[in-house]
């Protein structure tokens, strides 16, 4: 079964993290990606663009509406995902 593992985080610049802290975080993501890839479980992964680059698209009464930015104003935003293959929900949770 396929599972999407979503990566949420505080928007860039809002965490006060140092450059070294950010590099450590990215290294941890890379290590996780290598591990699930080596186990043959990784189906795909992707980092997303920052929220300020987003466009929300809606259709209301047959009219296409677009808005700058993400749908929700929140400190935590979806930053990326891993798509993995796991035999059970428990296995997917253990991987996460």
């Amino acid at each position: 079964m396929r599972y999407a593992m979503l990566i949420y985080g505080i928007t860039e610049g809002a965490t006060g993290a140092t450059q070294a802290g950010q590099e450590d975080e990215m290294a941890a993501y890379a290590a996780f990606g290598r591990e699930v890839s080596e186990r043959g479980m990784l189906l795909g992964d992707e980092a997303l663009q920052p929220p300020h680059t987003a466009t929300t698209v809606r259709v209301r009464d047959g009219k296409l509406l677009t808005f700058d930015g993400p749908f929700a104003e929140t400190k935590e935003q979806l930053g990326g995902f891993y798509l993995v293959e796991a035999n059970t929900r428990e296995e997917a949770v253990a991987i996460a």
Side-chain angles (χ1 to χ4, degrees):
M1 181 171 276
R2 292 179 178 175
Y3 292 88
M5 298 181 173
L6 307 180
I7 303 167
Y8 284 91
I10 305 298
T11 55
E12 189 175 326
T15 64
T18 65
Q19 180 69 28
Q22 292 174 4
E23 290 171 2
D24 289 346
E25 185 175 356
M26 295 311 293
Y29 287 132
F32 175 80
R34 278 191 307 276
E35 179 184 340
V36 293
S37 180
E38 288 168 1
R39 293 173 67 180
M41 303 173 88
L42 184 63
L43 300 175
D45 63 322
E46 197 68 50
L48 303 178
Q49 293 295 318
H52 72 271
T53 67
T55 299
T56 298
V57 179
R58 296 182 184 158
V59 176
R60 297 289 185 259
D61 299 321
K63 294 181 183 175
L64 178 67
L65 305 170
T66 60
F67 305 92
D68 289 342
F71 177 76
E73 300 252 350
T74 177
K75 287 183 181 179
E76 281 199 345
Q77 296 288 337
L78 180 61
F81 67 91
Y82 293 95
L83 183 61
V84 300
E85 182 78 30
N87 293 317
T88 64
R89 179 181 180 271
E90 292 75 18
E91 182 181 28
V93 168
I95 293 165

